[in-house]
Amino acid sequence: MSTAISDPIAAAVATVAAPGESNGIVHGLSTAEFEILSAKCLDARKAAYCPYSLFRVGASILLHPSSSTNPSPSSSPKIITGANVENASYPVGTCAERVAMGTAVMQGHRIGSFKAIGVATDMEAFCSPCGMCRQFLREFCELEIPIFMFNKRGEYKVMTLGELLPMSFGPDVLPPREVLKRERDEEEEGKGKIA
C-alpha cells in the first residue's frame, strides 16, 4: 500500500503512476478518464442512504465516448453514478452498482456502451461488487470491462468482470427464443407419441 494521503481523490490520482502503467494509461483508461471515474465514485458515497448499516457505497460507470449523446474529442468523460439505497425491509435495498447501471439503462445505454466501473466504500480493504451486482453488471457489460475497487483512501485494486464472475451466465449464452420454443414443442410432441 502507498503512504496515506488525506485527500482520497489525490490518493486515487497518485496511483496513476503505479508501476506497470505507462503513457498515462491505467487499465485502458486515459489519465483524465481514470481521474473522473475515481473522483465521481468516491464522491458518490456521500449520496448513500444507509441509515441501518451505515455502510456507504458509491459507484461510477465510465461511458465509451462513442456512446455519449454528443461526443467530441474535447468533451470530458461521461460518467453515471449511483449510491446504495437501503430500506427498513432489508432485502429491498439496492446496491450502488445496480443504481448506477439502472440509470444508464434508463438513459438508453446497452452492452458496448461502458468502458469501466468504479466502486468505493469507507473500508480500508478493497470491496468488490456483491454477487447479485456482478450478475446484474454481466447483463450489460463485456467480461473484459475493468472494475476499479477503491478503499476509503482512494487506493484501488482492479479486476475484470470476467475475473470477478468466472463461468458467468449472460445473454450471449442463451439460445434464441425460437430455438427454445421449437425444442420445447418437439419435446411435448414426443411425449404425446409415447403416451
Side-chain angles (χ1 to χ4, degrees):
M1 292 226 157
S2 63
T3 57
I5 300 174
S6 60
D7 178 8
I9 298 190
V13 173
T15 62
V16 170
E21 306 298 344
S22 62
N23 300 325
I25 301 295
V26 182
H27 296 281
L29 278 59
S30 69
T31 301
E33 290 172 327
F34 177 79
E35 288 176 358
I36 195 165
L37 179 77
S38 63
K40 293 288 189 178
C41 179
L42 292 161
D43 195 48
R45 293 177 301 185
K46 297 174 190 168
Y49 176 76
C50 51
Y52 309 107
S53 71
L54 303 179
F55 185 68
R56 300 185 314 165
V57 182
S60 57
I61 301 174
L62 173 66
L63 298 177
H64 277 293
S66 60
S67 67
S68 298
T69 54
N70 190 12
S72 73
S74 62
S75 64
S76 61
K78 173 79 169 121
I79 298 281
I80 296 172
T81 60
N84 56 318
V85 179
E86 292 182 346
N87 188 285
S89 177
Y90 292 166
V92 180
T94 307
C95 299
E97 300 90 330
R98 286 183 284 137
V99 170
M101 186 57 73
T103 300
V105 170
M106 289 298 299
Q107 291 177 5
H109 301 289
R110 298 293 186 269
I111 197 161
S113 298
F114 311 108
K115 190 169 183 180
I117 297 171
V119 180
T121 68
D122 291 322
M123 295 175 29
E124 282 290 332
F126 304 106
C127 188
S128 71
C130 72
M132 186 181 296
C133 285
R134 293 175 194 194
Q135 184 62 49
F136 193 83
L137 294 171
R138 172 66 173 91
E139 184 75 14
F140 303 103
C141 298
E142 292 94 351
L143 292 172
E144 299 79 27
I145 193 168
I147 299 179
F148 292 83
M149 298 163 277
F150 295 94
N151 67 10
K152 71 179 188 178
R153 292 190 307 230
E155 300 163 328
Y156 73 93
K157 177 177 179 117
V158 64
M159 296 178 76
T160 65
L161 179 58
E163 290 170 326
L164 290 172
L165 191 63
M167 298 180 64
S168 69
F169 180 80
D172 55 318
V173 299
L174 285 173
R177 291 175 52 90
E178 301 77 34
V179 171
L180 291 172
K181 183 171 179 359
R182 184 180 67 239
E183 288 174 356
R184 183 177 296 156
D185 291 347
E186 289 171 359
E187 184 178 299
E188 291 299 320
E189 188 177 301
K191 286 182 183 176
K193 290 181 181 179
I194 294 174

